[in-house]
Amino acid sequence: MAIDLGTANTLVVLKSKGVVLNEPSVVAVVDNKGKKSVLAVGDEAKTMLGRTPGNIQAIRPLRDGVIADFIVTEEMIKHFIKKVHKKTLANPRILICVPTGSTPVERKAIQDSALAAGARRVQLIEEPIAAAIGANLPISEATGSMIVDIGGGTSEIAVMSLGGLVYSKSLRVAGDSMDTAIVDYMRKEYNLLIGDTTAEKIKKEMGTAVPTGTNTYPVKGRDLRSGTPKEVNITEEDTAEALNDIMKQMVGAIKDALENTPPELSADLVDMGLTLTGGGALLKNIDKRFSKETGLPVHIADDPLSCVAVGTGKALDQEETFSTMLSEY
């Protein structure tokens, strides 16, 4: 079993079956007189975000790609394993992908969570390597491949050759940061208070790296001056301005990676360009912005959302080929 344990979504891949589960990494916990128990996990728990009564908490146990709440993460992994195997599979072997910037302590925490959830053996693979395998890049060959994986909590930027990482950087600016930037922009420009779920909807419907359209989108929230509900209409210009700082940070990190790439591999990248994966790759015109600012051709992977999970599954299926890329703690 391969697991893409993401900040926003968790995907599970079974050998020779492909992606069998894709649910939000959210757990609803009920506090009954000091005793906490899990009420819902995944899709059901996500609908509760920002709408729960006092004794129920909807928690996202992963922050910036690493475990923020060990016990809740363990329960979540356990729930997903059981959901995939209606008849509980006795101790599956699990491969989990981790951000390149995670520390040995954070990696050990992920491994311990999976072992406590009933895994027989747990191996880890770095996220950009899994993303590159999922995007069918020739990472085992003596040619340079560049991947930018924009997830929920982290953006992974890596240059690979001969099955290894030549340069990698884990940037803690990604999908969640985009949501926060939209919340801040709406507060500053329109005196409107909105939640993260509304911000995520705006990002999906109207979010863009380069404004091209003139359509408007209605946003409902709370007026900060009067405290009453209010609706405003926003345009692509608004979302582009809200996300501009994040785009600049990402472009800066990509340029750093290119500066630290050996000249022979840089020559390969002129032809190969860079490949975008992860949910952030679906942001409108992000490829145009990156291409304009780096001068490289930019490709979006065929299925950016499940690229990392599919790559993790392939690494599990073809263990002999990718054995040097897997690790244990």
Side-chain angles (χ1 to χ4, degrees):
M1 182 190 288
I3 300 178
D4 171 12
L5 200 60
T7 309
N9 293 292
T10 295
L11 286 84
V12 178
V13 175
L14 281 185
K15 208 167 182 177
S16 69
K17 281 190 183 174
V19 178
V20 290
L21 181 137
N22 179 358
E23 290 201 23
S25 305
V26 183
V27 181
V29 178
V30 61
D31 191 339
N32 194 359
K33 294 173 185 172
K35 192 185 175 192
K36 290 186 177 180
S37 58
V38 173
L39 180 69
V41 179
D43 288 324
E44 199 184 334
K46 189 173 184 182
T47 59
M48 300 180 184
L49 273 174
R51 300 169 188 265
T52 56
N55 65 328
I56 297 173
Q57 236 185 329
I59 301 169
R60 292 178 68 176
L62 291 122
R63 283 276 159 209
D64 301 331
V66 293
I67 292 176
D69 192 317
F70 189 82
I71 295 161
V72 174
T73 303
E74 191 184 307
E75 287 299 322
M76 185 174 79
I77 294 172
K78 218 179 270 184
H79 173 87
F80 289 146
I81 291 173
K82 279 184 185 164
K83 193 164 182 179
V84 168
H85 293 281
K86 301 285 186 260
K87 297 170 184 164
T88 311
L89 180 78
N91 311 64
R93 182 168 71 87
I94 295 180
L95 178 62
I96 301 178
C97 55
V98 291
T100 48
S102 54
T103 64
V105 173
E106 288 165 342
R107 291 179 186 213
K108 182 92 170 65
I110 289 172
Q111 195 169 27
D112 288 348
S113 275
L115 288 168
R120 176 176 82 245
R121 182 184 177 201
V122 181
Q123 288 174 296
L124 307 177
I125 183 169
E126 300 206 327
E127 229 164 90
I129 290 178
I133 295 169
N136 296 315
L137 293 183
I139 58 167
S140 301
E141 295 171 18
T143 180
S145 300
M146 186 173 189
I147 199 111
V148 179
D149 175 46
I150 307 166
T154 58
S155 293
E156 305 287 321
I157 296 150
V159 177
M160 289 155 282
S161 178
L162 291 168
L165 291 169
V166 177
Y167 174 89
S168 69
K169 182 169 185 172
S170 192
L171 191 68
R172 298 205 170 183
V173 170
D176 288 350
S177 314
M178 292 181 195
D179 297 344
T180 307
I182 291 168
V183 170
D184 292 345
Y185 181 84
M186 294 304 294
R187 183 191 284 127
K188 195 172 73 191
E189 293 296 319
Y190 290 98
N191 279 307
L192 192 74
L193 188 65
I194 59 169
D196 287 343
T197 309
T198 305
E200 191 183 4
K201 267 188 199 157
I202 295 169
K203 177 180 73 182
K204 286 178 177 172
E205 296 291 330
M206 286 292 282
T208 182
V210 181
T212 50
T214 53
N215 296 344
T216 60
Y217 183 76
V219 179
K220 298 181 180 95
R222 190 172 85 224
D223 190 311
L224 283 166
R225 288 199 188 103
S226 64
T228 56
K230 175 174 119 175
E231 182 179 310
V232 298
N233 286 313
I234 63 162
T235 63
E236 281 191 2
E237 294 274 353
D238 287 315
T239 56
E241 196 178 324
L243 300 174
N244 192 37
D245 277 351
I246 286 167
M247 290 297 112
K248 280 182 181 170
Q249 286 183 60
M250 286 182 181
V251 168
I254 292 168
K255 285 181 176 174
D256 283 349
L258 294 169
E259 279 171 20
N260 286 284
T261 301
E264 291 300 329
L265 294 180
S266 293
D268 295 338
L269 296 179
V270 172
D271 301 321
M272 288 279 292
L274 64 91
T275 303
L276 293 179
T277 64
L282 297 172
L283 183 75
K284 191 177 169 188
N285 295 330
I286 192 167
D287 51 342
K288 287 179 185 159
R289 170 109 188 221
F290 286 177
S291 183
K292 186 185 172 192
E293 301 214 19
T294 61
L296 291 177
V298 177
H299 319 283
I300 296 173
D302 289 342
D303 185 2
L305 280 169
S306 58
C307 234
V308 174
V310 168
T312 311
K314 277 186 186 173
L316 192 66
D317 279 350
Q318 303 163 33
E319 201 183 342
E320 298 77 24
T321 313
F322 300 113
S323 59
T324 55
M325 304 172 196
L326 312 183
S327 59
E328 290 183 54
Y329 279 77

